[in-house]
Amino acid sequence: MKTTDEYGKKLVELIERSARIDKLVMKSRQLAEDVKQELEELRAKQRETTHILHRLENSSSNAWENIGDGG
């Protein structure tokens, strides 16, 4: 049979492990939020770059047409 002290020690271990799990859960949530924010920033930059490339593509097409017409 286990003594009260042994049960007490196991209870303390359980509480400590629970606290560590809670801490890791909070850390993972924060990391997930950080990653989500970084993804949003990268997507915004990607949209901006795509927009610029489309403008360049359109302006280049018009420029080549103008050159073909003599300037």
Side-chain angles (χ1 to χ4, degrees):
M1 274 187 129
K2 298 212 179 228
T3 65
T4 306
D5 286 342
E6 289 174 317
Y7 282 118
K9 288 177 185 178
K10 292 294 180 186
L11 182 60
V12 169
E13 286 177 21
L14 179 62
I15 292 169
E16 288 172 351
R17 286 184 185 146
S18 293
R20 286 176 50 203
I21 289 170
D22 291 344
K23 188 175 180 179
L24 287 172
V25 167
M26 292 302 294
K27 186 177 181 179
S28 71
R29 287 181 181 160
Q30 181 60 47
L31 288 173
E33 191 62 36
D34 293 346
V35 168
K36 192 185 299 185
Q37 182 179 352
E38 187 175 352
L39 277 172
E40 289 174 9
E41 291 170 4
L42 288 172
R43 285 183 179 137
K45 289 178 182 180
Q46 182 183 35
R47 285 190 298 273
E48 182 182 345
T49 302
T50 301
H51 178 71
I52 290 169
L53 287 174
H54 284 297
R55 281 193 357 220
L56 287 172
E57 181 181 45
N58 290 336
S59 67
S60 295
S61 296
N62 292 337
W64 284 111
E65 287 175 14
N66 288 338
I67 290 173
D69 292 338

